[in-house]
Amino acid sequence: MPKSLHNNTCQETVFKKIYLRYADEIRNFLYYKFGSNLNPEDKMQEAFIKLWKKCKDVPPEKAKSFLYTVANNAMLNEVKHKKVILKYQQQKKEHTNHQDPQFLLEEEEYLKKYQLALAELSEAQRVAFLMNRIEGKKHKEIAEILGISQKAVEKRIYGALKKLRKTIKEL
Amino acid sequence: MEEQKNIELLLRKWLDGEATPAEIAVLEQWEEFHTYKKIAETALLFTLPKPNSQQSYKQLQQNLASHKKRRSAIFKPLLKIAAVAAIIALAFGGYTYYFTTHNYTTKTAQTKHITLPDNSKVSLSVASVISYSRFNWKQNRNLTLEGEAFFEVEKGEKFTVETPLGNVSVLGTTFNVEQRDNFFEVTCYEGKVLVVTPQKTLHLVAGESFSLNNGNITTQKTNLNTPDWVNGYSSFTSIPITEVIKALERQYAIEIKIKNVTFGSDDLYTGTFVHDNLSSALQSIALAFNLTYQQNGHVVTLQKGE
């Protein structure tokens, strides 16, 4: 079977297309799963460096799963004994009309609890939940990315919501 | 039971963004929904700041380029040895550069201007010492001072000046600190500084000055933009004359002897002396106390006027 010349990962244009298509997605995935203290950006870049080195063996249609696997493994090598921390952004503008310090303090308190509660979720729950809430991805899309059934995604997201509520309440 | 199941089903649908307005209205009536809604919305605050993809691609290209270089170096043993030697030399140099404490000292009649690693500026007055470590300076801006110095601090992390009598902390501003023997004075010229002494902790805003003299605290106002010594003279407001004489000795690297008159702590001086003309400086003090002076090399004698 003849290989198409224009469909080769080693070609810079193809490689760049793959990068622009998946870089954000993979960085976010790593962040949801492992938090920000292990530098998801670096691991994502490492995965692309590996892809470039192996570009002859990995056709573009397999690039995505290759990248996810490599990035995930790179993280796992480091992750073992580190705690997951996700960073929250400072409150957005629309909240500034509530300048009541009591309110601000409570909000800050709530965010801290939320942060701890996120760390308490299982990796699977956290990834699915944050993909859904932050990126607004449909259950169906998440199922495709993670390679699991739509029902499983629904279960993870719903489970995450329940667990967050329980942990925040108890803290 | 039936209702609970129904709500759970709606909640799942709502999470997928598939709930109809009518269904959301049903959920809204359920009290706990607001807790869930808040949890679902708060997740948005946990987004990762997104770098520009095009730019991060450039970063990747650089990383790829450095990978290639590193690879070829492995095959050249000589280069490898050179690299190791260079690393050791750099590490050693870096160690001494970053981890040892840097000291700057001025003698009497000498001032210095120092620029810190973050571009903050220090003007060191006569007979003073500052020391600091370059290591992690941007995160940890701490230096110790004995004597007097004027600081122009760039914005950044907390900047702290430690003295034996108290500490001064700021974020970015200009201020003067003087500590000699039992005298400690901080004047803020711009922004806001925090002064911490065992006796008192207070904030100074621009134009305020705090001084501690043998345990006595006074606060004053100033309308200057820089301390007087930076502009070439010293000024005093109700300061014991003995202190003023010490300042004069430091400034001109002279020794002052006092004959047939004794000064107590009640003999206060208010006035200035210039830094570039000794006889004029001596005159301004001598006149105020009705004294005469005689200069003999480095020794000046002050005595009661005839």
Side-chain angles (χ1 to χ4, degrees):
Chain A
M1 199 173 83
K3 269 193 182 166
S4 161
L5 258 180
H6 300 288
N7 204 11
N8 184 337
T9 313
C10 292
Q11 271 206 316
E12 179 108 27
T13 48
V14 176
F15 184 75
K16 187 170 180 181
K17 225 181 224 169
I18 294 172
Y19 185 87
L20 295 180
R21 168 81 179 73
Y22 294 117
D24 283 347
E25 196 179 281
I26 288 170
R27 184 193 311 108
N28 287 342
F29 169 78
L30 294 174
Y31 168 67
Y32 300 150
K33 194 165 174 184
F34 302 107
S36 55
N37 52 346
L38 288 170
N39 204 339
E41 172 79 19
D42 277 5
K43 300 291 181 298
M44 177 274 283
Q45 295 243 347
E46 271 175 39
F48 275 96
I49 288 172
K50 224 168 198 167
L51 176 66
W52 182 248
K53 283 182 182 165
K54 299 220 163 157
C55 62
K56 280 185 195 131
D57 309 329
V58 187
E61 62 272 18
K62 294 233 168 105
K64 180 184 159 188
S65 69
F66 175 87
L67 288 165
Y68 267 96
T69 312
V70 170
N72 194 34
N73 288 347
M75 270 292 185
L76 285 174
N77 285 340
E78 265 189 54
V79 80
K80 279 166 206 152
H81 39 264
K82 300 213 176 160
K83 203 168 158 50
V84 180
I85 300 170
L86 289 96
K87 280 193 189 144
Y88 50 84
Q89 315 268 309
Q90 285 307 311
Q91 292 274 31
K92 299 272 159 59
K93 285 264 157 57
E94 60 259 34
H95 290 278
T96 48
N97 48 355
H98 303 284
Q99 280 298 354
D100 176 15
Q102 174 75 20
F103 173 84
L104 290 176
L105 207 66
E106 277 168 17
E107 280 296 290
E108 183 66 24
E109 211 38 24
Y110 181 77
L111 279 172
K112 281 194 180 131
K113 283 183 185 174
Y114 200 102
Q115 193 172 31
L116 292 172
L118 274 178
E120 292 282 308
L121 294 180
S122 75
E123 280 173 12
Q125 281 176 328
R126 191 166 53 241
V127 171
F129 179 73
L130 292 177
M131 274 182 170
N132 171 246
R133 294 330 301 172
I134 295 179
E135 292 175 45
K137 284 202 163 78
K138 292 284 200 185
H139 293 180
K140 198 174 159 217
E141 293 173 79
I142 298 171
E144 275 165 19
I145 290 172
L146 298 179
I148 54 176
S149 76
Q150 204 174 321
K151 202 79 200 158
V153 172
E154 192 184 305
K155 205 174 157 193
R156 286 180 188 184
I157 294 173
Y158 185 69
L161 185 71
K162 284 246 159 186
K163 190 158 177 208
L164 283 171
R165 176 169 176 261
K166 192 161 166 267
T167 322
I168 291 172
K169 217 173 168 185
E170 283 165 2
L171 277 171
Chain B
M1 199 65 219
E2 189 62 33
E3 197 184 344
Q4 188 63 38
K5 262 207 165 145
N6 191 26
I7 274 187
E8 194 184 308
L9 213 70
L10 285 182
L11 210 53
R12 285 172 188 245
K13 235 174 146 181
W14 169 72
L15 279 170
D16 201 11
E18 293 285 328
T20 63
E23 286 169 330
I24 291 174
V26 172
L27 281 170
E28 291 276 6
Q29 284 179 358
W30 180 47
E31 208 181 307
E32 281 173 54
F33 179 63
H34 298 281
T35 321
Y36 285 122
K37 204 167 153 188
K38 183 161 189 196
I39 290 171
E41 281 166 2
T42 304
L44 273 176
L45 291 176
F46 286 79
T47 44
L48 201 58
K50 253 187 207 150
N52 176 319
S53 285
Q54 291 285 350
Q55 230 160 44
S56 88
Y57 184 69
K58 271 190 200 129
Q59 176 67 39
L60 176 72
Q61 283 177 316
Q62 281 170 11
N63 286 348
L64 278 171
S66 71
H67 259 258
K68 274 177 206 157
K69 267 185 217 145
R70 239 179 278 157
R71 252 190 140 165
S72 58
I74 289 167
F75 298 106
K76 292 172 185 160
L78 257 182
L79 263 180
K80 216 167 154 186
I81 292 164
V84 169
I87 286 165
I88 291 169
L90 268 177
F92 187 74
Y95 180 83
T96 47
Y97 187 64
Y98 279 103
F99 289 89
T100 55
T101 312
H102 289 242
N103 285 314
Y104 292 92
T105 309
T106 51
K107 295 182 187 141
T108 48
Q110 184 190 19
T111 61
K112 260 184 198 170
H113 297 275
I114 300 142
T115 304
L116 297 169
D118 61 340
N119 266 337
S120 294
K121 292 186 179 62
V122 183
S123 307
L124 200 55
S125 183
V126 293
S128 305
V129 188
I130 63 161
S131 56
Y132 71 94
S133 164
R134 271 181 184 271
F135 174 65
N136 203 16
W137 174 259
K138 291 220 162 117
Q139 267 68 49
N140 184 16
R141 304 196 292 176
N142 264 343
L143 56 80
T144 58
L145 166 74
E146 282 173 53
E148 179 170 16
F150 174 62
F151 297 90
E152 291 170 71
V153 178
E154 289 289 314
K155 287 206 165 50
E157 292 295 309
K158 194 160 97 172
F159 184 102
T160 304
V161 181
E162 294 173 6
T163 82
L165 291 186
N167 295 345
V168 184
S169 303
V170 301
L171 291 171
T173 165
T174 56
F175 63 103
N176 188 67
V177 180
E178 181 175 12
Q179 180 276 316
R180 299 192 193 272
D181 304 324
N182 278 323
F183 180 77
F184 178 56
E185 185 183 70
V186 182
T187 310
C188 177
Y189 296 96
E190 205 184 292
K192 194 175 176 186
V193 306
L194 174 69
V195 183
V196 181
T197 67
Q199 291 86 347
K200 197 170 180 177
T201 298
L202 79 166
H203 282 284
L204 294 181
V205 297
E208 285 184 336
S209 164
F210 162 88
S211 70
L212 184 67
N213 195 0
N214 278 318
N216 297 324
I217 292 170
T218 44
T219 48
Q220 286 176 349
K221 298 256 179 222
T222 174
N223 43 21
L224 300 168
N225 293 327
T226 47
D228 298 323
W229 69 267
V230 172
N231 299 324
Y233 58 94
S234 296
S235 86
F236 304 88
T237 314
S238 303
I239 302 293
I241 182 68
T242 46
E243 292 298 321
V244 178
I245 288 172
K246 275 189 204 162
L248 196 61
E249 287 179 321
R250 279 196 298 269
Q251 194 60 50
Y252 285 99
I254 52 170
E255 191 187 337
I256 296 179
K257 287 189 173 157
I258 299 162
K259 249 169 89 177
N260 66 31
V261 62
T262 43
F263 292 117
S265 54
D266 293 343
D267 294 306
L268 304 177
Y269 176 76
T270 299
T272 59
F273 67 73
V274 294
H275 290 178
D276 54 359
N277 186 337
L278 179 57
S279 57
S280 158
L282 282 166
Q283 203 130 39
S284 38
I285 288 167
L287 271 176
F289 285 84
N290 194 21
L291 305 167
T292 58
Y293 70 89
Q294 268 186 325
Q295 193 184 349
N296 188 3
H298 283 294
V299 181
V300 173
T301 314
L302 279 174
Q303 58 187 333
K304 198 89 185 163
E306 299 301 312

